[in-house]
Each structure stands twice: as structure tokens, then as C-alpha cells.
Amino acid sequence: MTNPVDELDARLLTLLEEDPHVGVLGASRRLGVARGTVQSRLDKLVVRGVIRSFAPQLDPAALGYPVMAFCTLEIRQGTGGGPVVEHVAAIPEVLEAHTITGSGDLMIRVVARDNADLQRVIDLVVAHEMVERSSTVICLSTRVPYRTSPLVP
């Protein structure tokens, strides 16, 4: 498989990671290429799905949700899980949901205002009739935050 990004794309992605406010003109100056080249590269990276969003990364703790937990859900077999995914997607405190292997079927990342609020969120999650069992672990600290920049060659 060929590398999805070349050297200029990698430099551009690294620059955007380091300085998200750089803009197209600033990037062209810092990379030493034409503004149109930067815009074209950005457009292609978006179309190919390498860049998924230019939206800001929000910190749930700064928004009043300092408690983070991971819940593993076991879903009634033969249901395909779709209804449960729709259910958890409707809960604002559910940030992610992933189908997994192992003893569980779905892993979700949730946030809450405090431990009592976490109980409320878990109660909402497991209220779906197809959720057979759940297991929750609370995150004490984040040692390596979500990142993708090490994947850029």
C-alpha cells in the first residue's frame, strides 16, 4: 500500500497540528510553497478523509464534565446492536461508541459532572432493553491524550 501522504502533505499536517490558527496564507509562507498549492493539498486531504474536521477540540472538563469513564456494554445477541447505538448516541454525555471484541459488544466513553452524575448517565445507558450487562471504569487521569500526529510520516 502506498503512503496516503507525501512529504509536503506531512509537513502541512504537522504545521496544522502545531499551529491550528496558521491559515492557508501563513502555511504557504512557512512551508515555502504557493497559497494555491496549500489550498489544493488541504482540499485533497479533506476529500480523501485524512483531515476529518477543522473544528476546535473541546475539553469536556472545561465545559463542566471533569469525570470520564469507559463503559463496556453486552448487548442481547441477534439484535445487531443498532438500536443500542442509536440509544447511546442520543445521550449527550456519550462521547464515543465502538464495537469491540472480547467479552463486551460495545465500548463507550462517557463524561459526567461528578460521580453522582456518572450514575445518572450509566442509568440512562443501561435503560435500553437490549443492554444485558455493563461494566464501567472511571478514568483517573489521561496519560497520553488522543493523538494522531505520530502517524504522520
Side-chain angles (χ1 to χ4, degrees):
M1 181 175 145
T2 62
N3 195 343
V5 297
D6 64 14
E7 187 264 339
L8 180 57
D9 289 338
R11 289 175 46 217
L12 177 57
L13 292 169
T14 300
L15 176 61
L16 290 172
E17 182 80 20
E18 292 170 356
D19 186 4
H21 295 104
V22 69
V24 174
L25 181 59
S28 71
R29 288 178 177 156
R30 291 186 39 196
L31 296 173
V33 297
R35 182 190 181 288
T37 300
V38 169
Q39 187 63 60
S40 174
R41 293 296 182 114
L42 285 173
D43 292 343
K44 288 177 184 176
L45 290 166
V46 169
V47 167
R48 291 188 356 238
V50 174
I51 296 177
R52 294 190 313 187
S53 173
F54 290 98
Q57 292 182 358
L58 305 179
D59 181 356
L63 292 171
Y65 296 88
V67 176
M68 180 171 49
F70 298 91
C71 303
T72 302
L73 306 179
E74 293 180 28
I75 300 171
R76 184 177 310 141
Q77 297 301 300
T79 64
V84 175
V85 172
E86 290 176 20
H87 170 71
V88 298
I91 301 170
E93 295 86 357
V94 175
L95 304 183
E96 296 178 85
H98 304 273
T99 302
I100 59 171
T101 62
S103 62
D105 300 302
L106 193 67
M107 177 166 287
I108 61 174
R109 180 166 64 118
V110 301
V111 292
R113 296 189 182 280
D114 53 34
N115 286 351
D117 191 43
L118 177 60
Q119 182 64 61
R120 178 191 62 81
V121 173
I122 293 168
D123 289 345
L124 285 172
V125 167
V126 301
H128 195 282
E129 63 186 18
M130 292 182 187
V131 175
E132 298 277 328
R133 182 182 322 270
S134 71
S135 174
T136 302
V137 294
I138 296 175
C139 177
L140 298 178
S141 66
T142 300
R143 299 298 183 100
V144 178
Y146 179 80
R147 60 191 184 149
T148 54
S149 57
L151 302 176
V152 179

